[in-house]
Amino acid sequence: MDTLFDVVFADGTCSISELNFLKKVANRLNIDTDVFVSFQKKHLGKEDKKESKQEHKGSESANETASLSPELRKAYDALGITEDATDSELKATWRNLMRINHPDLVSGMGEGAVASATKRCQEINKAFELIKSNRKMG
């Protein structure tokens, strides 16, 4: 699965059709939903880090990271972004995560998959709202 995720994310994105393909493969291989989601998070994190490094080389200091509350740090980690991401990057990341983690996409994989996806979407929304509030975004 890791190699398939590498192939899908090679262009830096994951379309809904690519994600559905990965989910079908995982389902046929009897890969647990939580394991699938961990692969997904891992690869989303890689892409976010690549983009962040390219756009913000050297802009993050240890002091900026240390100044975040543990709850806010956890929120940024949940979205796979750093605090130096722009507001538009934050919104785009949130939209992408919601798009690929939406419970409707896993409805054919059973109640457990839907429950896991619902929980993940709730985590994503909670993190997004906390960051937006901290940034005083409307």
Side-chain angles (χ1 to χ4, degrees):
M1 279 307 300
D2 202 36
T3 302
L4 287 176
F5 270 95
D6 285 339
V7 171
V8 166
F9 279 90
D11 65 353
T13 62
C14 179
S15 70
I16 290 176
S17 61
E18 290 171 323
L19 183 64
N20 285 336
F21 169 76
L22 290 171
K23 287 178 181 179
K24 285 179 185 177
V25 171
N27 194 28
R28 295 228 172 122
L29 294 173
N30 294 320
I31 294 175
D32 183 67
T33 304
D34 292 333
V35 173
F36 179 84
V37 170
S38 70
F39 277 114
Q40 188 176 346
K41 283 182 188 178
K42 174 183 168 187
H43 285 80
L44 279 172
K46 282 181 185 177
E47 294 309 313
D48 290 339
K49 287 175 187 170
K50 277 184 195 173
E51 290 173 13
S52 180
K53 283 180 184 175
Q54 289 170 354
E55 295 172 11
H56 307 286
K57 281 188 177 171
S59 67
E60 182 179 344
S61 72
N63 291 337
E64 289 173 340
T65 303
S67 67
L68 292 178
S69 71
E71 186 179 29
L72 196 54
R73 164 67 20 229
K74 196 173 185 181
Y76 279 103
D77 289 345
L79 298 181
I81 61 172
T82 61
E83 64 274 7
D84 61 343
T86 66
D87 290 352
S88 61
E89 290 171 326
L90 170 65
K91 288 178 186 177
T93 298
W94 171 77
R95 275 193 303 275
N96 189 43
L97 287 170
M98 290 302 293
R99 179 179 57 85
I100 64 176
N101 287 285
H102 198 278
D104 289 349
L105 295 175
V106 295
S107 61
M109 295 176 74
E111 289 181 31
V114 172
S116 181
T118 300
K119 182 179 176 190
R120 177 67 178 131
C121 283
Q122 290 169 342
E123 291 170 356
I124 293 165
N125 279 327
K126 182 180 175 186
F128 181 61
E129 291 302 321
L130 179 64
I131 295 168
K132 276 184 17 179
S133 173
N134 181 265
R135 291 181 174 203
K136 309 216 181 338
M137 292 171 57

